[in-house]
Amino acid sequence: MDFKLFKEMLKRIFFVIFTAAVLACHAAPKPQPVVEGITNVKPDEQQQLVIKEVVNLIESYNYKKIQINDSISSLILDKYIKSLDQGKNYFLASDIKEFEKYRFTLDDDFKNGDLSGPFYIYNVYAKRLNEYFTVSLASIRSKFDFNQNDTYVYDREKMPWATSAATLNDTWKKRVKYELVNLNLAGTTEAKNVETLTKRYQNLQSQTSKTNNQDVFQILMDAFTESIDPHTNYFNPSNAVAFNEDMSRSFEGIGARLQLENEVVKISEIIAGGPAFKGKQLSAGDRIIAVAQGDGEFVDVVGWRLDNTVTKIKGPAGTKVRLKVIPVGKEMSSKPVIIEMVREKIILQDQSAKKKVKTINSNGKTYKVGVISLPAFYADFKAANAGDKNYKSTTRDVRLLIDTLKNQDKVDAIVMDLRGNGGGSLVEAISLTGLFIDKGPVVQVKDLRGKIEVDEDENAGVTWDGPFGVIVDRLSASASEIFAGAIQDYGRGIIMGSQTYGKGTVQSSIDLNKLVNPSMLQRVASLVTKNKTTGTSPAGTTPADINLGQINLTMAKFYRVAGSSTQHKGVTPDVVFPSVYPMDKIGEDTEPSALPWDVIASSSFKPVANLTTVKAGLMKNSEQRINGSLDFKYLKQDIADLKKRDAEVSVPLNEAKLKAERDAQESKSLARQNDLRALRGLPAIKKGEKVTKQDTFDFIEDESLKVMGDFMQQSGSYVMNLGSF
């Protein structure tokens, strides 16, 4: 893609900020109220500079053309409070009432570099946390009656804020009781459980006490940028390093992204190509409660800072790490599974497309289908720019795979599996599309000035002109949506699966240090040296030590060649399957600040076929199979069960009742597994017995191949411009 327009914009940004930043630190912020009984966290001078510059960038260059006003201020306050206390477990109603004075002032404060209000709110939160630790640690050794029929309300988000400390104390004590019940059900002794929970809370208290102003500033900036749009993000210096390492696509570890949810580390994504992906022992949603190095002792990590847990799990390639995991869908009271993995160096840009050949039967006729699994749109641009003719790229890899599938495997059709593919290189999405269509438009881009650029595949000819299909799911995003959308608009193949994510915006990364006059960095350095209250910078700070972080700024939108935006709605498959992922929890349309879906004029492109009639028949056949499929029946039940659990806000504290529920769930899960194994001619497994990797069955892929079989059965009824099927 030609990004000359964005480069021109960035040059303008650099000029504007460079000349304006001379006045950046002249306005004095208001005195920050002091919260008694704790060490107060305060902002530093560079954060005061950053907030002003980010306001300026967003108002001048964000695609929304938005002004930071009272309405935005109100959104920021609500998001900030929610990010600190989503479950309403710490703040009192009196605290919230006091914070109301900031509702319509944050916009003006940010423009003046004044962060005193948000930092005061955080310090009140920190005080409530200290009170929580004091009450909880004292409660752990209480003699609880686990035969009572009381309940713990763990989700108070829709309830009023607590009006008294006594109410919060009761909630905190019940939480301790719930955690002890979980430990009891895991099968350990009462004394050991008390010890484990005490250490857990002490660790949490210790980690919380280490919160610094960079942590607080990041929480605030997340609330700020998320009020603008989901993909405009600020990264403080340490997070900027982590982000850029991620973009460089290499690290050493197990290959899983983690997030903190209710003070428990949860796997949010399994990275293709890593040990976790290859071993298939971990899944998104699994929770990690303890980590051991090699054969060493397990360390309980519940309540730890996320970055500290990540440090424990990461490590040199070739070393062993063990994890205690509560699998997704299981209660925290479930017995943890111990998973052992050897860390590897994971080079994300070297995640390669893989192929396999499947044989299917459709109405008595046998077909060979090549399945290409593509985990990301990758490219080694550094090697390409250096003149390496064998540089790694998605398009080059897929072209070689297609050549093998055509000439050696002699396949009748090809399916591109983009499930879980979150995107990557737009250039590769365009060139990969060119393997299946003749030259022509692939994607349109509209910038904040309304200028539209059409990006084309300029290489004549196709690599594969036979029957083609694409599998997508809710996690297929960005470049995946551009590829799938182009294939659909051209009528080049059949899209199968569930509605995609809907990420149709373009971001540019801006290093804030490059926007500020060097003399201003000198001024900030001298102020930081004089100010010892924040404790984040040593005496003798120099301009080279000042790191303002970076911002990823939304500056354009993607559109399909037919004119429809991929934003918000994503790509709707031609043949729709039930989604493995909750559609109301994952996706751009779940983000309140997401840009809307819209349409621009169609580009000048020539479809290769009209598949409208064919698609209707494929959908009808697929629906009939799905309605009679045991796999899809259980998937639909799982979706219904998940919705039911999401509606629950409390849990019983009766140990016998919880154990009965857990045992019933485990029995149900085992019976399901054995039903499905019997269907496939596999022997039944017993309770606690692990399923081997060879026994796993991909029913989404299986149904997709059956759709392709139907597709080829109807191939004689139409002709493409690329040639007859």
Side-chain angles (χ1 to χ4, degrees):
M1 177 181 176
D2 185 0
F3 284 100
K4 289 188 291 184
L5 177 62
F6 294 125
K7 292 179 181 178
E8 291 171 4
M9 284 186 178
L10 292 179
K11 287 179 182 178
R12 291 174 56 208
I13 292 173
F14 294 156
F15 176 76
V16 172
I17 305 300
F18 181 88
T19 55
V22 177
L23 304 175
C25 288
H26 287 274
K30 297 187 291 287
Q32 181 175 313
V34 175
V35 177
E36 300 295 337
I38 63 165
T39 300
N40 282 234
V41 182
K42 299 180 181 179
D44 58 34
E45 287 78 7
Q46 65 190 57
Q47 291 163 349
Q48 293 164 4
L49 171 60
V50 167
I51 191 67
K52 289 194 285 188
E53 303 304 354
V54 169
V55 168
N56 187 39
L57 282 169
I58 288 174
E59 289 192 330
S60 301
Y61 299 102
N62 186 271
Y63 187 86
K64 280 188 171 181
K65 303 177 183 177
I66 199 166
Q67 292 300 301
I68 311 303
N69 54 22
D70 286 357
S71 296
I72 298 297
S73 174
S74 181
L75 289 174
I76 295 169
L77 179 66
D78 288 338
K79 280 186 176 291
Y80 183 54
I81 292 173
K82 185 175 181 178
S83 65
L84 294 173
D85 189 8
Q86 180 173 351
K88 296 184 178 178
N89 291 312
Y90 305 108
F91 284 131
L92 289 166
S94 57
D95 298 329
I96 300 302
K97 183 177 180 180
E98 184 185 12
F99 300 156
E100 279 297 308
K101 63 188 177 185
Y102 300 114
R103 181 161 298 281
F104 302 114
T105 65
L106 294 179
D107 53 327
D108 297 321
D109 290 344
F110 286 2
K111 292 173 183 177
N112 292 324
D114 186 350
L115 298 168
S116 58
F119 272 74
Y120 169 69
I121 291 173
Y122 176 80
N123 288 328
V124 173
Y125 168 72
K127 182 176 182 178
R128 298 288 175 243
L129 272 183
N130 277 346
E131 294 167 352
Y132 161 65
F133 295 136
T134 300
V135 171
S136 299
L137 283 166
S139 301
I140 291 173
R141 296 186 180 277
S142 300
K143 291 297 181 181
F144 289 107
D145 182 357
F146 297 111
N147 296 315
Q148 289 181 314
N149 289 319
D150 50 344
T151 60
Y152 164 53
V153 180
Y154 57 84
D155 184 355
R156 304 180 71 253
E157 185 175 358
K158 295 181 180 179
M159 297 174 64
W161 294 95
T163 56
S164 68
T167 301
L168 286 181
N169 289 349
D170 181 64
T171 298
W172 296 341
K173 289 175 183 177
K174 285 186 174 179
R175 179 174 180 169
V176 168
K177 184 176 180 179
Y178 175 61
E179 293 184 281
L180 285 171
V181 171
N182 286 336
L183 291 170
N184 289 346
L185 293 178
T188 47
T189 65
E190 180 180 345
K192 182 65 176 177
N193 294 341
V194 168
E195 178 187 351
T196 298
L197 196 55
T198 299
K199 287 182 178 180
R200 181 182 297 177
Y201 274 90
Q202 289 173 340
N203 282 334
L204 178 58
Q205 187 174 34
S206 174
Q207 296 304 317
T208 303
S209 69
K210 296 174 184 176
T211 300
N212 57 38
N213 67 354
Q214 290 282 26
D215 298 321
V216 178
F217 188 59
Q218 185 66 65
I219 296 170
L220 172 62
M221 293 301 285
D222 287 344
F224 176 20
T225 58
E226 287 170 11
S227 298
I228 307 304
D229 78 79
H231 305 292
T232 287
N233 302 114
Y234 168 79
F235 299 98
N236 69 25
S238 61
N239 286 350
V241 170
F243 173 80
N244 291 322
E245 285 179 351
D246 184 51
M247 291 298 289
S248 70
R249 305 275 182 160
S250 66
F251 64 93
E252 295 181 337
I254 66 170
R257 300 193 195 282
L258 308 178
Q259 67 184 59
L260 205 58
E261 185 177 276
N262 295 325
E263 295 166 2
V264 177
V265 171
K266 185 176 81 170
I267 295 175
S268 61
E269 179 188 354
I270 301 295
I271 299 172
F277 179 83
K278 291 185 230 177
K280 295 186 177 180
Q281 295 173 286
L282 292 174
S283 302
D286 288 350
R287 289 143 293 171
I288 299 171
I289 62 171
V291 182
Q293 306 303 318
D295 296 320
E297 293 292 323
F298 275 100
V299 177
D300 187 288
V301 296
V302 174
W304 278 32
R305 281 182 59 131
L306 180 61
D307 54 353
N308 288 346
T309 302
V310 169
T311 300
K312 282 281 185 186
I313 296 173
K314 280 185 175 181
T319 59
K320 183 170 70 175
V321 64
R322 291 183 297 137
L323 309 174
K324 278 187 180 180
V325 173
I326 304 294
V328 59
K330 299 282 188 180
E331 299 294 334
M332 286 298 292
S333 58
S334 301
K335 186 176 181 180
V337 176
I338 296 178
I339 292 173
E340 178 180 305
M341 278 177 285
V342 176
R343 301 177 177 104
E344 296 178 10
K345 182 172 183 180
I346 301 161
I347 305 175
L348 298 180
Q349 66 261 42
D350 284 343
Q351 291 180 16
S352 298
K354 301 289 191 299
K355 78 168 181 72
K356 59 186 175 183
V357 177
K358 293 281 188 173
T359 301
I360 59 172
N361 292 291
S362 182
N363 292 326
K365 188 171 182 179
T366 300
Y367 298 99
K368 292 175 70 177
V369 181
V371 180
I372 299 176
S373 299
L374 187 63
F377 286 83
Y378 52 86
D380 189 347
F381 290 113
K382 184 177 180 180
N385 293 334
D388 184 352
K389 295 181 179 180
N390 296 313
Y391 71 91
K392 191 80 169 175
S393 84
T394 297
T395 306
R396 293 166 63 91
D397 287 350
V398 171
R399 184 185 286 113
L400 290 173
L401 294 177
I402 292 174
D403 182 66
T404 303
L405 290 169
K406 279 199 310 184
N407 300 315
Q408 294 182 21
D409 299 314
K410 306 291 185 181
V411 297
D412 301 293
I414 290 178
V415 169
M416 187 73 67
D417 189 347
L418 297 181
R419 287 176 293 171
N421 186 322
S425 168
L426 176 61
V427 174
E428 289 301 315
I430 295 169
S431 60
L432 185 67
T433 305
L435 300 185
F436 303 95
I437 65 167
D438 203 352
K439 62 181 181 180
V442 174
V443 65
Q444 302 185 82
V445 180
K446 184 171 75 171
D447 67 34
L448 71 163
R449 296 181 298 185
K451 183 177 179 180
I452 297 173
E453 174 185 305
V454 180
D455 291 295
E456 302 189 7
D457 164 48
E458 299 177 348
N459 298 315
V462 296
T463 304
W464 174 255
D465 62 1
F468 184 54
V470 181
I471 313 174
V472 294
D473 65 8
R474 193 58 164 174
L475 301 184
S476 303
S478 194
S480 291
E481 296 173 296
I482 290 167
F483 176 81
I487 295 299
Q488 190 176 58
D489 288 344
Y490 273 92
R492 177 58 189 90
I494 297 298
I495 313 301
M496 303 164 284
S498 52
Q499 182 185 7
T500 61
Y501 190 89
K503 197 272 188 185
T505 55
V506 186
Q507 287 72 42
S508 292
S509 296
I510 302 169
D511 182 348
L512 294 179
N513 274 53
K514 294 181 179 179
L515 305 188
V516 179
N517 191 309
S519 64
M520 183 54 58
L521 292 179
Q522 180 66 60
R523 177 181 172 83
V524 171
S526 64
L527 289 171
V528 170
T529 298
K530 291 177 183 178
N531 185 357
K532 304 297 190 297
T533 61
T534 59
T536 57
S537 299
T541 299
T542 67
D545 298 318
I546 299 298
N547 188 336
L548 304 180
Q550 74 182 49
I551 184 171
N552 285 3
L553 192 64
T554 298
M555 300 178 71
K557 284 179 73 175
F558 290 128
Y559 294 83
R560 292 164 59 160
V561 291
S564 174
S565 172
T566 57
Q567 172 64 15
H568 208 275
K569 290 188 176 183
V571 175
T572 300
D574 304 312
V575 181
V576 179
F577 306 153
S579 175
V580 174
Y581 302 98
M583 303 291 283
D584 59 341
K585 301 291 183 182
I586 299 173
E588 191 82 357
D589 56 2
T590 67
E591 299 284 353
S593 61
L595 274 74
W597 174 85
D598 63 341
V599 178
I600 62 174
S602 174
S603 61
S604 179
F605 76 102
K606 186 178 182 181
V608 298
N610 184 344
L611 303 179
T612 304
T613 303
V614 174
K615 292 174 184 178
L618 298 180
M619 188 67 205
K620 180 180 178 181
N621 291 346
S622 180
E623 286 177 345
Q624 290 176 347
R625 284 191 297 268
I626 287 174
N627 289 335
S629 165
L630 189 60
D631 290 286
F632 279 101
K633 175 185 175 182
Y634 286 155
L635 173 60
K636 291 175 182 177
Q637 288 179 4
D638 288 341
I639 293 170
D641 289 344
L642 180 60
K643 288 183 178 179
K644 182 179 178 181
R645 285 197 297 270
D646 282 345
E648 296 172 351
V649 297
S650 63
V651 62
L653 295 177
N654 182 290
E655 185 173 336
K657 186 175 181 180
L658 275 176
K659 184 177 187 305
E661 289 179 359
R662 188 191 76 179
D663 290 345
Q665 181 61 40
E666 290 181 351
S667 296
K668 178 181 176 181
S669 177
L670 182 63
R672 278 185 174 191
Q673 279 187 300
N674 283 330
D675 284 347
L676 293 171
R677 291 175 67 84
L679 187 66
R680 302 188 229 291
L682 297 172
I685 59 173
K686 298 178 181 179
K687 183 178 179 180
E689 188 177 347
K690 291 185 178 180
V691 178
T692 63
K693 186 165 58 175
Q694 289 78 9
D695 290 345
T696 57
F697 181 73
D698 188 343
F699 60 92
I700 300 293
E701 179 190 90
D702 182 67
E703 175 56 28
S704 300
L705 294 177
K706 289 174 180 175
V707 171
M708 290 303 296
D710 292 343
F711 187 30
M712 286 181 281
Q713 287 283 307
Q714 301 180 49
S715 62
S717 64
Y718 64 94
V719 176
M720 296 196 308
N721 290 332
L722 295 173
S724 175
F725 276 10

